[in-house]
Amino acid sequence: MLRVAVIGSGPSGAYTAQSLIEQEAVPDIEVYVLDRLPCPYGLVRYGVAPDHEKIKSLQNTLRTVLEHPRVHFVGNVEAGAPGLGVEELREIFDAVVFCVGAATDRHLGIPGEDLPGSHPATDFVAWYSAHPDAAATRFALTARSAVVIGVGNVAVDVARMLSRAAAELAATDMPQGPLGALADSRVEDVWMVGRRGPSQAKFTTKELRELGSLPGTEVLVRPEELALDPAYRDPAGLPAVARRNVEVLRGWAEQPAGGGAPVGRRRRIHLRFFLRPVEILGDAGGVRAVRFERTAPDGSGGVTGAGRFEEIEGQLVLRSVGYRGTPQPGLPFDEATGTVPHSAGRVLRDGAPLPGVYVAGWIKRGPTGVIGTNRPCAKETARSLLADAAASAGRATAGDPVAALIRAGQRPVLWPGWLAIEAAEAAWGQGMGRGTVKLPDWAGLLEAARAAT
């Protein structure tokens, strides 16, 4: 029997498990999907916005994989913890695949970045998505103006959550704390700012259009900024998504001031381009504004500073400039790319494969692509692992993997424990007159899981 540990239960982990069990070359294979959290699904549960129910429904696909008879979900297990490093995992499993994603944000590297009121956007996402690590996080929703730095889909999600009426979110699984805070929010202006032009923005058209359909919210763009982008004038040569984005922005730019907005419009989303953050202004009491430098296209796909500056008021700053992988204990790490060196998924140390150790997903290729991009990535890693299976199978391992994890000091939450968490979340929401509502803290999750033991 070939026993494989997959570290991480998000899309890359689930697709890796699926690729392993669907192949026919090694029929006698068991996959143990380990996760630090007691809940599966990774960023599908804790990164997809609560009002994006269609994307969140991907959990049903991942669930099918995790319920396969030869796949075992083992939550509340921290790979890399003392006593459970790579060597110890290799004593329990024949092979280990790290699918741990990119767990941190890129830094701006500007003065004031760490002032109170300045946060990584992913901290805000984790808070409204009920990630247990974010249970104690607080955000300055007493702010009148919020600045979101970045123009990707995470930035759009954040801007939308700051602008959407809390009553519309009550039907989602958002926990009561963030829902109440958003209901009491005083934010009137949300500024989403990018250093390059509209044709280079990373958001997708569906997410962009959603901003224009928010009740009580007006989207404002500046035609003179859009016109700075040479591709804006003639978008015919752009990729399809960028071309559609430009057309949406053009429509907003051409509508008359006010745009027939209903009386009582309460919030405004300002989309700004060709502005590079150079300093977050404020003091120990919190941020007050962001200072930007005007940029201009450099003719090579980048931008150059124009030497003109502008301040945008904001008592809350959310930085959304990309994800970055973090070093994994016992694995080599490329600081330049934020990834683990590999060849077709085989982890490389000093250019040579590390026996029985593999990577898939963002920690393998960097934070690029969409959820579906993880499928071919996972398949490539699975092919490498299976090609090496003859060398991996039949090693003397530590017997039953779950028992070995317990001996290593872990307290695993198995699939019945996760089902108990689901039941508790459904009951909690029902008690509040809502649908399912996620438990937002470690204590609540683990207490619910214990109901299954």
Side-chain angles (χ1 to χ4, degrees), residues 39-50:
C39 308
Y41 311 136
L43 279 179
V44 178
R45 176 175 166 90
Y46 289 119
V48 175

Side-chain angles (χ1 to χ4, degrees), residues 96 128 133 141 151 193 257 305 318 340 362 369 400 423 441-442:
V96 182
Y128 67 60
D133 289 345
L141 298 185
V151 284
V193 188
L318 298 171
V340 171
W362 280 0
D400 177 67
D441 60 271
W442 279 97

